[in-house]
Amino acid sequence: MKATEVLADGYGRIREVVHEVVEGLSAEELNARTDAAANSITWLVWHLTRVQDDHVADASGLEQVWHAQDWVTRFALPLPADATGFGQTPRQAGSVRVDSGELLLGYFDAVHEQSLGFLRGLSAADLNRVVDERWDPPVTLGVRLVSVLADDLQHAGQAAFVRGALERRQRAGGQAER
């Protein structure tokens, strides 16, 4: 198996978890927070998607799907157009809300397809190309793609945890905080 095929498989696993977490939930459940400072499923999935979109687009020279396909308008968030979630306050994170999981999954799937298209066109040698010289040592494409993969899987796992916590709370008759 080629290194690029391993990466594509890893990115596919992100997609599996994201779909498992989001599908079947109401807007209220997606936007719920387990406490006032916690991240919602909406924020976690939006953030992991924005990070993948931003980082893979930068590394590939492609335009971010967020802008190219006008997801920024579809989400209509009260945040700067280039926001990815880094450094957001709990209040800002709480402002990331959706009316349905279809919006989240639509954006995620569009980013996933662009990322896979890029990955499929890579050779093993491409992974050694330096994409960010602000670090010591400079970051290669391979390291950047693994970094996005690891970050996205962590956030997808966090979203799965939140879903489980909300489901347990609902079974116990409690309500999530909004």
Side-chain angles (χ1 to χ4, degrees), residues 93-161:
S95 74
V96 178
R97 301 177 62 80
V98 295
D99 291 331
S100 75
E102 290 177 9
L103 184 66
L104 278 175
L105 292 178
Y107 175 49
F108 177 84
D109 286 344
V111 169
H112 178 72
E113 286 306 312
Q114 178 162 292
S115 295
L116 280 187
F118 174 62
L119 289 170
R120 287 184 188 120
L122 294 176
S123 69
D126 292 328
L127 299 176
N128 293 319
R129 178 173 55 90
V130 172
V131 296
D132 191 344
E133 294 187 6
R134 295 174 294 175
W135 299 90
D136 185 20
V139 177
T140 64
L141 177 59
V143 168
R144 177 60 45 86
L145 292 171
V146 169
S147 175
V148 170
L149 174 64
D151 186 68
D152 278 8
L153 281 172
Q154 287 181 2
H155 288 309
Q158 291 166 348
F161 176 84

Side-chain angles (χ1 to χ4, degrees), residues 24-116:
L25 294 182
S26 67
E28 181 180 356
E29 292 164 323
L30 291 166
N31 297 320
R33 300 164 80 184
T34 56
D35 66 46
N39 294 321
S40 67
I41 292 169
T42 295
W43 185 88
L44 289 162
V45 171
W46 170 81
H47 170 63
L48 74 84
T49 308
R50 287 293 297 125
V51 167
Q52 186 177 142
D53 193 9
D54 175 76
H55 288 32
V56 173
D58 182 60
S60 67
L62 297 169
E63 185 177 2
Q64 290 182 30
V65 171
W66 183 247
H67 298 290
Q69 296 180 17
D70 204 27
W71 290 97
V72 64
T73 300
R74 295 184 219 185
F75 273 78
L77 300 175
L79 301 170
D82 286 331
T84 61
F86 284 118
Q88 287 187 328
T89 65
R91 183 176 178 192
Q92 290 168 322
S95 74
V96 178
R97 301 177 62 80
V98 295
D99 291 331
S100 75
E102 290 177 9
L103 184 66
L104 278 175
L105 292 178
Y107 175 49
F108 177 84
D109 286 344
V111 169
H112 178 72
E113 286 306 312
Q114 178 162 292
S115 295
L116 280 187

